[in-house]
Amino acid sequence: ILETYAGTYDSRQFPPFHIRFQDSQLEIRSADGKLWNPLYAETETRFFVKRKQAFRFEFIRDESDHATALRLEIQGLQLPAAPKVEMR
């Protein structure tokens, strides 16, 4: 399932979220584009970055289990879902 989360998600409120699956791990590209940070699972669809504990990322899947969007939560505030615009 993790492989299906890889791709680009564009919220238009923030820079696009770039997610990749590498070495059996999901990673998210930093806002400046220089680093890839590991995503750690809380559940099958909910993840966090260790250095950004206030941020949570939740993948939204369709009935076929394909990721269709990514929702960012900042300190408990859920932002609108960012649709997946590119597969990786």
Side-chain angles (χ1 to χ4, degrees):
I1 288 182
L2 295 179
E3 302 93 13
T4 68
Y5 296 154
T8 300
Y9 299 82
D10 191 2
S11 71
R12 298 200 170 110
Q13 295 176 339
F14 296 97
F17 298 107
H18 301 284
I19 308 291
R20 73 178 179 186
F21 181 72
Q22 181 142 340
D23 299 327
S24 301
Q25 171 89 43
L26 278 179
E27 298 176 326
I28 187 167
R29 185 181 291 168
S30 61
D32 63 10
K34 295 180 182 178
L35 299 172
W36 286 93
N37 297 299
L39 286 172
Y40 296 93
E42 290 183 332
T43 69
E44 193 172 271
T45 59
R46 194 170 158 87
F47 295 80
F48 67 95
V49 175
K50 282 192 177 178
R51 289 179 277 183
K52 303 281 187 185
Q53 290 288 324
F55 292 76
R56 296 291 186 269
F57 300 91
E58 182 177 5
F59 292 94
I60 299 167
R61 301 185 309 205
D62 62 16
E63 50 284 335
S64 300
D65 277 341
H66 294 104
T68 59
L70 178 65
R71 180 178 292 122
L72 173 62
E73 183 180 304
I74 304 173
Q75 295 181 346
L77 175 66
Q78 284 192 353
L79 301 177
K84 191 173 193 177
V85 295
E86 181 184 318
M87 304 288 285
R88 290 283 164 144

PDB file of all heavy atoms in Angstrom, residues 4 61-67:
ATOM      1  N   THR A   4       1.583   3.104  -3.222  1.00  0.00           N
ATOM      2  CA  THR A   4       0.493   3.844  -3.867  1.00  0.00           C
ATOM      3  C   THR A   4       0.415   5.291  -3.372  1.00  0.00           C
ATOM      4  O   THR A   4      -0.234   6.109  -4.016  1.00  0.00           O
ATOM      5  CB  THR A   4      -0.872   3.169  -3.641  1.00  0.00           C
ATOM      6  OG1 THR A   4      -1.236   3.252  -2.271  1.00  0.00           O
ATOM      7  CG2 THR A   4      -0.840   1.717  -4.096  1.00  0.00           C
ATOM      8  N   ARG A  61      -7.826   7.542   0.405  1.00  0.00           N
ATOM      9  CA  ARG A  61      -7.852   6.511  -0.635  1.00  0.00           C
ATOM     10  C   ARG A  61      -9.265   6.330  -1.165  1.00  0.00           C
ATOM     11  O   ARG A  61     -10.241   6.544  -0.454  1.00  0.00           O
ATOM     12  CB  ARG A  61      -7.339   5.184  -0.076  1.00  0.00           C
ATOM     13  CG  ARG A  61      -5.928   5.293   0.467  1.00  0.00           C
ATOM     14  CD  ARG A  61      -5.372   3.988   0.898  1.00  0.00           C
ATOM     15  NE  ARG A  61      -6.252   3.267   1.794  1.00  0.00           N
ATOM     16  CZ  ARG A  61      -5.849   2.374   2.669  1.00  0.00           C
ATOM     17  NH1 ARG A  61      -4.587   2.079   2.794  1.00  0.00           N
ATOM     18  NH2 ARG A  61      -6.711   1.755   3.447  1.00  0.00           N
ATOM     19  N   ASP A  62      -9.329   5.878  -2.407  1.00  0.00           N
ATOM     20  CA  ASP A  62     -10.636   5.561  -2.991  1.00  0.00           C
ATOM     21  C   ASP A  62     -10.992   4.114  -2.667  1.00  0.00           C
ATOM     22  O   ASP A  62     -10.255   3.420  -1.961  1.00  0.00           O
ATOM     23  CB  ASP A  62     -10.656   5.841  -4.502  1.00  0.00           C
ATOM     24  CG  ASP A  62      -9.673   5.003  -5.298  1.00  0.00           C
ATOM     25  OD1 ASP A  62      -9.163   3.972  -4.789  1.00  0.00           O
ATOM     26  OD2 ASP A  62      -9.393   5.381  -6.457  1.00  0.00           O
ATOM     27  N   GLU A  63     -12.117   3.658  -3.188  1.00  0.00           N
ATOM     28  CA  GLU A  63     -12.581   2.301  -2.881  1.00  0.00           C
ATOM     29  C   GLU A  63     -11.665   1.213  -3.438  1.00  0.00           C
ATOM     30  O   GLU A  63     -11.717   0.072  -3.011  1.00  0.00           O
ATOM     31  CB  GLU A  63     -14.028   2.084  -3.319  1.00  0.00           C
ATOM     32  CG  GLU A  63     -14.383   2.476  -4.713  1.00  0.00           C
ATOM     33  CD  GLU A  63     -14.534   3.974  -4.968  1.00  0.00           C
ATOM     34  OE1 GLU A  63     -14.822   4.772  -4.054  1.00  0.00           O
ATOM     35  OE2 GLU A  63     -14.329   4.358  -6.119  1.00  0.00           O
ATOM     36  N   SER A  64     -10.779   1.580  -4.377  1.00  0.00           N
ATOM     37  CA  SER A  64      -9.796   0.635  -4.925  1.00  0.00           C
ATOM     38  C   SER A  64      -8.459   0.706  -4.184  1.00  0.00           C
ATOM     39  O   SER A  64      -7.478   0.138  -4.631  1.00  0.00           O
ATOM     40  CB  SER A  64      -9.556   0.918  -6.402  1.00  0.00           C
ATOM     41  OG  SER A  64     -10.743   0.788  -7.128  1.00  0.00           O
ATOM     42  N   ASP A  65      -8.424   1.446  -3.075  1.00  0.00           N
ATOM     43  CA  ASP A  65      -7.220   1.641  -2.251  1.00  0.00           C
ATOM     44  C   ASP A  65      -6.128   2.448  -2.930  1.00  0.00           C
ATOM     45  O   ASP A  65      -4.971   2.382  -2.538  1.00  0.00           O
ATOM     46  CB  ASP A  65      -6.659   0.304  -1.751  1.00  0.00           C
ATOM     47  CG  ASP A  65      -7.374  -0.183  -0.512  1.00  0.00           C
ATOM     48  OD1 ASP A  65      -8.035   0.638   0.154  1.00  0.00           O
ATOM     49  OD2 ASP A  65      -7.273  -1.377  -0.214  1.00  0.00           O
ATOM     50  N   HIS A  66      -6.461   3.242  -3.941  1.00  0.00           N
ATOM     51  CA  HIS A  66      -5.497   4.146  -4.560  1.00  0.00           C
ATOM     52  C   HIS A  66      -5.549   5.488  -3.828  1.00  0.00           C
ATOM     53  O   HIS A  66      -6.631   5.997  -3.550  1.00  0.00           O
ATOM     54  CB  HIS A  66      -5.815   4.363  -6.044  1.00  0.00           C
ATOM     55  CG  HIS A  66      -5.660   3.129  -6.852  1.00  0.00           C
ATOM     56  ND1 HIS A  66      -6.727   2.391  -7.296  1.00  0.00           N
ATOM     57  CD2 HIS A  66      -4.554   2.482  -7.288  1.00  0.00           C
ATOM     58  CE1 HIS A  66      -6.296   1.350  -7.967  1.00  0.00           C
ATOM     59  NE2 HIS A  66      -4.976   1.378  -7.974  1.00  0.00           N
ATOM     60  N   ALA A  67      -4.382   6.043  -3.537  1.00  0.00           N
ATOM     61  CA  ALA A  67      -4.333   7.356  -2.896  1.00  0.00           C
ATOM     62  C   ALA A  67      -4.818   8.411  -3.884  1.00  0.00           C
ATOM     63  O   ALA A  67      -4.349   8.471  -5.017  1.00  0.00           O
ATOM     64  CB  ALA A  67      -2.921   7.665  -2.438  1.00  0.00           C
TER      65      ALA A  67
END
